[in-house]
Amino acid sequence: MSEEVKPESMSLYSVSAAATPEQEAVCIFGTGDLGRSLGQRLLQSGYRLVYGSRRPHSCGPIPPGAQVMSHEIAARSASLVFVCVHREHYDFLETLAPQLKGKVLVDVSNNLKKNMYPEANAEFLQRLIPGAHVVKAFNTLSAWALQNGPSDANRQVYLCGNSPEAKQAVAEIATKLGFSVQDRGSLSAARELEDFPLQLFPEWRLPMRLTIGLTAFFFFYLLIRDVIFAYVDQGKDNSFRIMVSLANEVFPIVSLILLSLCYLPGVIAAFLQLYRGTKYKRFPDWLDRWMLCRKQLGLIALALASLHVLYTLIIPIRYYVRFILAANTISQIKENKTSVFDTTMGWRTDSYYSMGILGFGLYLLLGIASLPSVSNALSWREFSFIQSKLGYLTLFFCTFHTYLYGWDKFLFISYYKWYTPPGYMLCLVVPSVVLLLKLLLLLPCVDKSLTRIRQGWERTDPEDDSKKSLLAKDCQKL
């Protein structure tokens, strides 16, 4: 029985649908999720696609319109090859060194953890095939991002390599696929690019640590005041308050502090510029890091404020509240008494709720404006107006909301359990300081000085007593 001879390559599309000769050919080694998604994007962008596989006849489903060949034949058919295989499977590439000589190899691989190998995957690939031009690129994009396109995912493609011509060829493909390109230099930057996907919310670490720290502090602080104090001093079991009442105190407190921390670094930076008399000196590193995480702080604050709203909405249906209302009603019926409506209390509660609603509404507007799809449609002036002007207005409403909540409670010693102030009083410190400092910056003489500094004016000789500071001059004119 004669052995059936299989061809080395197989086309998955009809001759009538064959690609035109004008189409540029691109090769992909690997038919996994990333290879298939990348291939689909390349086909949609007008490229002729060839897959290289160790099993051309049983490699699984691939995008319609592509060809599947052996690695050797596929390497000859294109001048640019995407290597979409894991590093541990690079051995077969060494045997293809003659076919890959002078070709552009795009390494898209990543590792499971940092420092897994002594050298970056792209550097290892370059050493394995010295005659090729290796470019590290597309490794920061997921298969989902490639399949859905840049409109619904990350738009940035980082690349690095030793050959400018090879990087230019890869950059042209990335641009044609709809992504923006950022060149990170030579191939020595490959390890940095390979570490990008391994980072877990790097910009959120400081805000999350701060949030967890504040939440833990105020939770235990209020637990001592509202639960432990009642049990020790009065013998009452208020442990049920932990689930709703305590949470509904902690969330707004932390939310207000985080919101004020979004605007405190900007105020500090303004006073630093006034003190230095120039805008051309770098801020301290801690202030730079603080200012870079303001968006994350604001989004966490919005999430906590939303939880506060939800917890507040369920108050009327709580068993404890319904029990107290029923008990008071029955008590008044038995004593044949009717409570007199307190107009002052009506004004206080209505104002308290009104400020909270206005503050939360502006909170939502700030959060919506921070979305990339919204912020990209705004001019810089519009974005600055929302995040700055309306942001401070949000902080004012939320702070005033808290002041109305406290009202005159600070005058009564009974609220200072174990000589500790209520939690809402502690949370008012930071936002009150921020608003006070902002009011100082809005003074005409201070605002005028700061505006001139930010327009490029410098105090060239601050040690010369004969030259008064710009701030003093502007204040004397008023």
Side-chain angles (χ1 to χ4, degrees):
M1 186 176 187
S2 62
E3 182 179 355
E4 182 181 355
V5 180
K6 295 183 179 180
E8 289 188 290
S9 66
M10 179 179 66
S11 175
L12 298 186
Y13 61 97
S14 62
V15 177
S16 60
T20 59
E22 290 77 12
Q23 289 179 308
E24 183 180 354
V26 177
C27 176
I28 296 179
F29 284 172
T31 56
D33 293 338
L34 185 64
R36 291 196 302 268
S37 299
L38 177 60
Q40 182 177 341
R41 292 291 300 168
L42 289 168
L43 288 169
Q44 292 172 353
S45 300
Y47 288 94
R48 182 167 59 87
L49 182 60
V50 177
Y51 279 99
S53 175
R54 63 181 184 273
R55 297 190 303 268
H57 304 280
S58 59
C59 62
I62 62 172
Q67 286 181 295
V68 184
M69 304 177 179
S70 65
H71 288 124
E72 183 177 354
I73 297 179
R76 295 173 181 170
S77 63
S79 60
L80 189 145
V81 180
F82 286 92
V83 183
C84 300
V85 296
H86 294 287
R87 173 175 175 150
E88 53 265 28
H89 303 307
Y90 280 0
D91 295 341
F92 77 93
L93 295 171
E94 194 171 9
T95 62
L96 300 177
Q99 290 80 18
L100 296 176
K101 184 177 181 180
K103 304 290 181 71
V104 178
L105 296 185
V106 185
D107 178 41
V108 302
S109 65
N110 288 311
N111 297 318
L112 297 177
K113 59 182 180 179
K114 293 183 179 180
N115 302 320
M116 191 172 178
Y117 299 102
E119 60 183 343
N121 296 348
E123 293 177 308
F124 172 69
L125 183 59
Q126 182 67 82
R127 184 166 57 85
L128 200 64
I129 310 176
H133 305 294
V134 176
V135 176
K136 186 74 183 184
F138 286 91
N139 68 300
T140 57
L141 300 179
S142 64
W144 178 88
L146 289 167
Q147 187 173 358
N148 290 274
S151 59
D152 296 327
N154 183 18
R155 296 173 177 269
Q156 197 78 13
V157 170
Y158 301 94
L159 59 84
C160 65
N162 296 329
S163 170
E165 294 78 10
K167 289 194 292 185
Q168 180 62 30
V170 177
E172 290 177 358
I173 291 180
T175 303
K176 196 169 182 180
L177 295 183
F179 298 98
S180 59
V181 178
Q182 184 175 355
D183 190 342
R184 301 304 292 261
S186 65
L187 203 61
S188 59
R191 180 175 291 278
E192 179 186 1
L193 297 189
E194 291 173 4
D195 287 343
F196 277 180
L198 300 177
Q199 297 176 357
L200 183 63
F201 302 114
E203 297 176 349
W204 290 82
R205 290 178 182 174
L206 178 59
M208 288 302 300
R209 289 171 182 170
L210 185 60
T211 303
I212 293 173
L214 288 172
T215 302
F217 170 78
F218 279 104
F219 175 80
F220 288 108
Y221 183 82
L222 295 175
L223 180 69
I224 294 172
R225 282 179 45 87
D226 296 349
V227 178
I228 298 178
F229 174 82
Y231 183 79
V232 173
D233 189 67
Q234 305 169 7
K236 294 175 60 177
D237 182 12
N238 286 343
S239 58
F240 67 91
R241 294 176 58 86
I242 293 176
M243 299 307 296
V244 176
S245 299
L246 207 62
N248 201 29
E249 291 183 66
V250 173
F251 290 150
I253 287 174
V254 178
S255 176
L256 182 57
I257 293 177
L258 292 179
L259 179 63
S260 60
L261 291 179
C262 292
Y263 295 97
L264 182 57
V267 173
I268 295 175
F271 278 101
L272 271 177
Q273 290 177 334
L274 286 170
Y275 174 75
R276 294 171 172 177
T278 180
K279 70 172 184 178
Y280 296 108
K281 289 185 179 179
R282 283 184 56 86
F283 294 129
D285 291 338
W286 59 268
L287 186 57
D288 274 337
R289 292 194 298 270
W290 189 355
M291 296 182 73
L292 288 174
C293 68
R294 287 180 294 178
K295 177 180 178 180
Q296 289 75 20
L297 286 172
L299 291 176
I300 296 175
L302 174 59
L304 295 176
S306 302
L307 288 175
H308 172 52
V309 171
L310 293 176
Y311 272 98
T312 303
L313 290 175
I314 69 169
I315 287 178
I317 63 174
R318 291 180 61 201
Y319 168 76
Y320 170 73
V321 174
R322 290 187 287 112
F323 178 83
I324 294 297
L325 289 176
N328 288 338
T329 302
I330 294 173
S331 176
Q332 290 182 8
I333 292 174
K334 288 181 177 180
E335 297 177 6
N336 196 22
K337 291 183 179 180
T338 303
S339 299
V340 179
F341 180 77
D342 189 346
T343 305
T344 302
M345 182 61 68
W347 267 101
R348 172 196 165 188
T349 54
D350 282 4
S351 301
Y352 160 71
Y353 286 122
S354 178
M355 291 298 102
I357 292 171
L358 291 174
F360 184 67
L362 290 175
Y363 237 137
L364 292 176
L365 179 60
L366 295 177
I368 293 173
S370 67
L371 297 175
S373 58
V374 178
S375 60
N376 291 340
L378 299 174
S379 66
W380 170 246
R381 186 176 182 183
E382 293 168 342
F383 182 79
S384 177
F385 174 79
I386 293 175
Q387 296 295 334
S388 180
K389 302 295 189 301
L390 295 184
Y392 279 106
L393 187 60
T394 304
L395 181 61
F396 170 76
F397 280 140
C398 294
T399 305
F400 193 34
H401 168 73
T402 309
Y403 272 108
L404 290 173
Y405 170 80
W407 199 249
D408 58 352
K409 294 179 182 178
F410 69 96
L411 297 174
F412 302 96
I413 192 64
S414 60
Y415 286 98
Y416 296 87
K417 301 172 183 178
W418 280 336
Y419 304 102
T420 59
Y424 78 89
M425 291 181 61
L426 294 180
C427 84
L428 283 171
V429 174
V430 180
S432 299
V433 170
V434 173
L435 291 174
L436 180 60
L437 294 177
K438 183 61 178 178
L439 285 176
L440 293 177
L441 292 175
L442 292 178
L443 293 175
C445 58
V446 181
D447 182 64
K448 184 177 180 181
S449 301
L450 185 60
T451 300
R452 291 181 61 184
I453 289 174
R454 289 176 174 175
Q455 288 177 346
W457 181 91
E458 289 187 275
R459 186 172 57 241
T460 56
D461 190 8
E463 302 297 331
D464 189 357
D465 294 336
S466 62
K467 294 182 180 181
K468 295 183 178 180
S469 69
L470 177 64
L471 177 60
K473 290 180 180 180
D474 289 335
C475 288
Q476 288 175 357
K477 294 178 181 178
L478 299 177

